[in-house]
């Protein structure tokens, strides 16, 4: 809220109340911090998320900055619905639920019924309708200056990172080698 005295210039007596977390002070008052930034209570500016991490607009702490772990695949679908509730009105809710389930390999948007559906399958297939879109989790993180001490069983050499990622599959909320 602005508090000003109309008899004196605003610069002399005008002040703004402090902004809530997720917002920052501007000349016009409090504004929401944009995507990929965050702020605490009373901030005059928003802080950038570190190292390419991402956050929603209005984020309130650095902990809100996360790796964007969902990869979008236009014109693709995943087979078979997950067990239990599998239809959701919005992508964010579907992603949250899929991340918690061991039988969810990804999400497919069905435009004919406007629903995001949890799917068991992990293999992307071409959509006959070409308007379906799927999302799969990408839980890979890079740690510079480190290495893993042992090779996995089975195949462990690949020509590129994308091929290596395809050699793994989600199983019981952990990663397991797919032969």
């Amino acid at each position: 809220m602005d508090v000003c005295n109309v008899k004196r210039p605003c610069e002399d007596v005008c002040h703004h109340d402090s902004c809530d977390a997720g917002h920052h002070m501007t000349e016009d008052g409090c504004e929401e911090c944009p995507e990929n930034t965050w702020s605490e209570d009373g901030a005059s500016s928003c802080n950038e998320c570190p190292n390419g991490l991402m956050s929603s607009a209005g984020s309130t702490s650095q902990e809100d900055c996360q790796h964007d772990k969902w990869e979008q695949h236009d014109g693709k679908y995943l087979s078979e619905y997950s067990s239990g509730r599998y239809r959701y009105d919005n992508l964010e809710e579907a992603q949250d639920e899929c991340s918690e389930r061991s039988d969810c390999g990804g999400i497919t948007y069905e435009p004919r019924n406007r629903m995001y559906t949890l799917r068991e399958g992990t293999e992307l297939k071409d959509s006959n309708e070409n308007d379906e879109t799927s999302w799969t989790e990408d839980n890979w993180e890079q740690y510079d200056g480190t290495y893993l001490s042992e090779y996995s069983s089975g195949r462990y050499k690949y020509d590129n990172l994308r091929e290596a990622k395809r050699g793994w599959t989600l199983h019981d909320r952990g990663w397991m080698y797919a032969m």
Side-chain angles (χ1 to χ4, degrees):
M1 169 189 293
D2 295 339
V3 179
C4 294
N5 181 333
V6 293
K7 295 185 181 194
R8 293 183 29 203
C10 195
E11 303 83 46
D12 296 338
V13 295
C14 186
H15 71 273
H16 299 283
D17 291 338
S18 64
C19 298
D20 293 333
H23 295 77
H24 69 286
M25 186 59 67
T26 68
E27 290 178 2
D28 299 323
C30 295
E31 287 186 14
E32 185 176 62
C33 289
E35 290 182 345
N36 309 323
T37 65
W38 61 276
S39 73
E40 296 175 340
D41 283 330
S44 59
S45 63
C46 300
N47 302 297
E48 295 285 327
C49 286
N51 299 327
L53 298 179
M54 303 173 87
S55 70
S56 301
S59 292
T60 60
S61 86
Q62 186 171 342
E63 292 176 7
D64 292 336
C65 298
Q66 301 288 321
H67 171 64
D68 182 21
K69 61 183 183 175
W70 290 94
E71 190 173 345
Q72 182 173 327
H73 310 277
D74 295 326
K76 302 286 184 181
Y77 75 96
L78 297 164
S79 63
E80 301 185 38
Y81 295 115
S82 294
S83 61
R85 180 177 175 207
Y86 61 88
R87 291 183 178 183
Y88 295 87
D89 294 325
N90 65 67
L91 179 59
E92 186 173 304
E93 187 179 7
Q95 289 172 332
D96 289 344
E97 186 64 28
C98 187
S99 294
E100 295 297 318
R101 292 172 128 184
S102 62
D103 72 335
C104 187
I107 299 162
T108 296
Y109 177 70
E110 298 177 352
R112 66 183 170 278
N113 59 23
R114 294 188 213 129
M115 299 296 285
Y116 295 89
T117 57
L118 305 188
R119 303 296 183 101
E120 283 187 29
T122 56
E123 181 184 335
L124 292 162
K125 299 180 178 187
D126 291 333
S127 172
N128 292 334
E129 301 169 25
N130 269 347
D131 53 355
E132 290 176 307
T133 300
S134 291
W135 291 264
T136 54
E137 274 193 284
D138 179 8
N139 288 325
W140 295 86
E141 292 189 34
Q142 180 174 327
Y143 297 93
D144 294 330
T146 63
Y147 67 94
L148 299 173
S149 62
E150 297 180 30
Y151 292 112
S152 65
S153 62
R155 182 177 178 195
Y156 59 87
K157 290 185 179 181
Y158 295 90
D159 293 328
N160 58 57
L161 181 59
R162 185 176 202 92
E163 185 181 313
K165 286 180 179 181
R166 274 191 235 141
W168 292 80
T169 185
L170 188 60
H171 179 70
D172 289 338
R173 293 190 206 170
W175 288 100
M176 148 181 158
Y177 187 74
M179 305 281 278

